[in-house]
Amino acid sequence: MSNRAWYVIQSKPHKENQLCAYLQSQALEVYYPVLHVKPANPRSSKIRPLFPRYLFVRTNLDEIGLSTLRWMPYAIGIVEFDGYAAPVPDAIMYELRRRVEALEAAGGPTFDGLKPGDRVRITEGALAGYEALFDMRLSGGERVQVLLEMLGRQVRLQLDANAIERPR
């Protein structure tokens, strides 16, 4: 019987893709949750990691050894608590995959449960930092319309969908 479990491995900055490819080249099962986006700059990456710098790898640590994951190229190491590798339960991995698929189907995290009237924060452009009200998703899914309070009246703005987020 295999004692394989899921673990979280941290990559060096902006090296998630390389680490994923390396792990796969070592015949390890990898889950690298990403979202497909339509960036404002066409040269920007169209794939964004859901958890920047973190991937999931399924392995038997008794067989490969913890040092293998600690010292592999593009990696900082495996996530540990009190010096022990922290396994991620299969049920959590299943739910994570299910939720990522649902986010993709909904058009990305920006729209997950977003309704007209919900508060959003503008994150890009001259109005970055301002809060507005979500109005609607525009056709094509790449743009949204928000309502911004300016000089005592609501102004409709059309923005790139990636230029808004839920306020924290």
Side-chain angles (χ1 to χ4, degrees):
M1 181 171 159
S2 174
N3 289 331
R4 293 183 343 145
W6 286 102
Y7 297 93
V8 179
I9 188 164
Q10 186 177 15
S11 78
K12 292 180 178 175
H14 308 291
K15 297 296 182 188
E16 300 95 341
N17 290 330
Q18 291 92 329
L19 179 57
C20 182
Y22 183 81
L23 289 164
Q24 289 171 334
S25 76
Q26 301 301 303
L28 294 170
E29 185 177 352
V30 181
Y31 180 54
Y32 174 37
V34 296
L35 296 173
H36 296 82
V37 296
K38 301 237 179 188
N41 180 347
R43 292 183 302 267
S44 293
S45 176
K46 291 171 180 45
I47 295 176
R48 296 231 173 102
L50 187 60
F51 305 111
R53 298 183 61 192
Y54 293 94
L55 295 87
F56 299 88
V57 60
R58 188 170 187 221
T59 189
N60 182 333
L61 287 182
D62 293 334
E63 288 177 8
I64 70 164
L66 190 55
S67 62
T68 301
L69 296 178
R70 280 187 180 141
W71 302 108
M72 69 177 35
Y74 313 110
I76 289 176
I78 193 163
V79 173
E80 299 179 32
F81 294 103
D82 291 330
Y84 295 98
V88 179
D90 287 340
I92 290 182
M93 292 302 299
Y94 173 80
E95 184 63 18
L96 176 62
R97 287 178 191 255
R98 191 187 70 70
R99 288 188 182 195
V100 168
E101 289 171 9
L103 277 174
E104 281 288 315
T110 302
F111 302 112
D112 186 35
L114 207 53
K115 301 179 296 300
D118 286 350
R119 290 207 164 281
V120 294
R121 179 177 293 117
I122 300 171
T123 59
E124 296 177 12
L127 299 172
Y130 282 91
E131 286 197 6
L133 298 176
F134 178 78
D135 189 28
M136 70 176 76
R137 185 176 176 178
L138 300 173
S139 63
E142 303 152 16
R143 309 224 6 111
V144 294
Q145 183 169 285
V146 298
L147 304 172
L148 181 66
E149 182 79 27
M150 292 185 79
L151 303 172
R153 52 186 285 230
Q154 286 187 336
V155 178
R156 281 187 166 80
L157 296 173
Q158 293 184 2
L159 302 169
D160 184 83
N162 296 315
I164 65 169
E165 68 180 11
R166 291 179 186 268
R168 295 181 183 123

